[in-house]
């Protein structure tokens, strides 16, 4: 753990090395770096690489190259999530001891089939803020005997948060501090909108939600600046922070860079990739202008 220094704000950029960085990442990284420099704070880097099937050392090396080319410098060491699975497992165990998680055996197709069957009966199935059907109560309502039987049979499973119990076990409403351009607001968090979120995936260790809150705490992050696409997910992060007794950073969710069709950039969007733009002769200053800084 990095010793917290109460005087200095600590920022981070946390890309997943599963593709080349694009203009949206450049905006995020530069906003964090600029804010850290302006405040005399620290700028840390974290590789969110728990999905070992998609993350590669080559993408990681390219991230360092792109960020250095942009003129950014970060404090060492870089934290790699794949090297800290024990920390995420310990957090999961704490939640398990309190009866707040359960093994979830349904496949994506089964979740969808459940939703379609409900809707055919005239009961609309709620969707999460990203548009996915909420996980049905099937696994949450299983008996302990049935759970044990399924686990023993080696059935593939994830671990999900029992949202209902989790909300019962915290006191008071949840909120977070959102810092905008010159304004600070308090946002009421709405974790139930996400239903029983995955905390440990069936196909990769840990999950985005669990590892991001554990790491923000372990790295002493005081200010999270990230894209608007993660705004709603902050409700889940605040809930996990409350359940795990972790400090809450302040948040700023910045505008997204969109493509010509108004869609969020993706890692496969070749012509907005930083290395492609660099190869086309653009300078770091051009990148700053392109992202509106
Ligand atoms: N790893 C996430 C991404 O690449 C960002 C996570 C965060 O900033 O909280 O989109």
């Amino acid at each position: 753990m990095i010793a917290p220094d109460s005087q200095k704000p600590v920022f981070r950029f946390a890309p997943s090395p599963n593709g080349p960085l694009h203009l949206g990442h450049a905006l995020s990284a530069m906003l964090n770096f600029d804010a850290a420099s302006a405040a005399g704070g620290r700028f840390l880097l974290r590789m969110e690489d728990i999905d070992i099937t998609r993350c590669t050392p080559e993408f990681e090396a390219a991230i360092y190259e792109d960020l250095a080319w942009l003129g950014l410098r970060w404090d060492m060491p870089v934290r790699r999530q794949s090297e800290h699975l024990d920390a995420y497992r310990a957090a999961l165990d704490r939640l398990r001891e309190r009866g707040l998680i359960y093994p979830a055996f349904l496949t994506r197709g089964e979740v969808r089939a459940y939703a379609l069957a409900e809707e055919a009966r005239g009961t609309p199935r709620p969707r999460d803020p990203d548009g996915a059907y909420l996980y049905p109560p099937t696994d949450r309502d299983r008996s302990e005997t049935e759970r044990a039987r399924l686990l023993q049979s080696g059935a593939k499973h994830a671990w999900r948060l029992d949202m209902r119990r989790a909300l019962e076990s915290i006191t008071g409403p949840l909120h977070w501090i959102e810092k905008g351009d010159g304004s600070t607001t308090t946002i009421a968090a709405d974790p139930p909108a996400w239903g029983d979120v995955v905390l440990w995936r069936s196909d990769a260790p840990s999950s985005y939600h669990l590892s991001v809150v554990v790491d923000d705490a372990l790295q002493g992050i005081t200010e999270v600046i990230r894209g608007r696409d993660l705004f709603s997910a902050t409700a889940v992060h605040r809930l996990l922070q409350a359940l795990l007794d972790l400090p809450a950073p302040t948040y700023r969710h910045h505008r997204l860079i969109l493509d010509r069709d108004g869609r969020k950039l993706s890692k496969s969007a070749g012509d907005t990739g930083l290395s492609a733009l660099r190869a086309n002769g653009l300078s770091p200053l051009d990148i700053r202008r392109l992202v509106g800084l």
Side-chain angles (χ1 to χ4, degrees):
M1 182 177 335
I2 288 151
D5 175 343
S6 57
Q7 304 302 308
K8 285 188 182 179
V10 185
F11 297 79
R12 51 58 163 191
F13 176 56
S16 294
N18 58 10
L21 295 188
H22 54 56
L23 286 172
H25 297 108
L27 175 62
S28 241
M30 291 193 291
L31 283 173
N32 276 289
F33 178 78
D34 290 357
S37 308
R42 305 179 63 209
F43 174 59
L44 307 182
L45 202 53
R46 177 164 82 226
M47 291 295 147
E48 302 216 320
D49 63 347
I50 49 173
D51 188 345
I52 44 167
T53 57
R54 295 172 63 221
C55 296
T56 68
E58 290 75 24
F59 285 133
E60 183 178 327
I63 289 175
Y64 299 137
E65 202 178 316
D66 286 343
L67 296 179
W69 174 70
L70 285 174
L72 311 193
R73 301 286 175 267
W74 50 93
D75 288 10
M76 295 300 272
V78 171
R79 183 176 174 91
R80 260 196 217 103
Q81 291 191 323
S82 57
E83 293 170 353
H84 297 279
L85 300 183
D86 286 355
Y88 315 132
R89 193 175 290 281
L92 189 80
D93 287 345
R94 280 185 65 188
L95 299 172
R96 184 188 289 109
E97 281 155 20
R98 291 169 58 190
L100 299 180
I101 59 170
Y102 63 82
F105 302 94
L106 300 191
T107 62
R108 221 176 272 223
E110 286 167 335
V111 171
R112 195 177 143 71
Y114 178 95
L116 295 181
E118 284 286 290
E119 290 184 343
R121 276 195 285 273
T123 318
R125 266 312 279 163
R127 291 173 185 257
D128 73 20
D130 284 347
Y133 285 119
L134 294 200
Y135 199 74
T138 321
D139 288 318
R140 187 195 63 198
D141 294 344
R142 280 187 208 282
S143 69
E144 281 307 323
T145 327
E146 175 67 356
R147 254 178 216 163
R149 189 190 65 75
L150 283 166
L151 287 175
Q152 229 164 17
S153 75
K156 197 173 168 188
H157 61 282
W159 287 90
R160 286 183 176 261
L161 183 69
D162 184 331
M163 183 59 75
R164 220 172 36 179
R165 284 200 187 175
L167 292 169
E168 281 164 10
S169 77
I170 57 161
T171 47
L174 282 176
H175 65 269
W176 77 85
I177 306 294
E178 178 77 21
K179 290 186 171 177
D181 283 319
S183 67
T184 298
T185 44
T186 302
I187 308 285
D190 180 27
W194 291 94
D196 292 355
V197 284
V198 176
L199 295 185
W200 200 273
R201 290 166 48 170
S202 61
D203 56 350
S206 194
S207 68
Y208 163 63
H209 294 309
L210 186 64
S211 39
V212 83
V213 296
V214 168
D215 282 350
D216 281 342
L218 285 175
Q219 290 191 290
I221 304 300
T222 59
E223 317 224 5
V224 170
I225 301 180
R226 62 186 177 191
R228 186 90 199 158
D229 50 334
L230 292 170
F231 183 89
S232 304
T234 307
V236 175
H237 302 170
R238 286 292 300 113
L239 175 60
L240 291 175
Q241 286 156 358
L243 294 171
L244 294 165
D245 295 318
L246 302 176
T250 62
Y251 290 88
R252 172 173 171 192
H253 294 94
H254 61 74
R255 65 192 156 79
L256 300 178
I257 308 279
L258 303 177
D259 67 13
R260 287 180 206 95
D261 304 322
R263 281 189 305 251
K264 203 182 103 174
L265 298 184
S266 80
K267 287 196 167 152
S268 51
D271 57 344
T272 59
L274 294 182
S275 53
L277 294 166
R278 180 163 78 237
N280 282 336
L282 271 74
S283 71
L285 208 61
D286 295 327
I287 303 293
R288 277 195 175 265
R289 285 205 200 96
L290 268 178
V291 299
L293 288 181

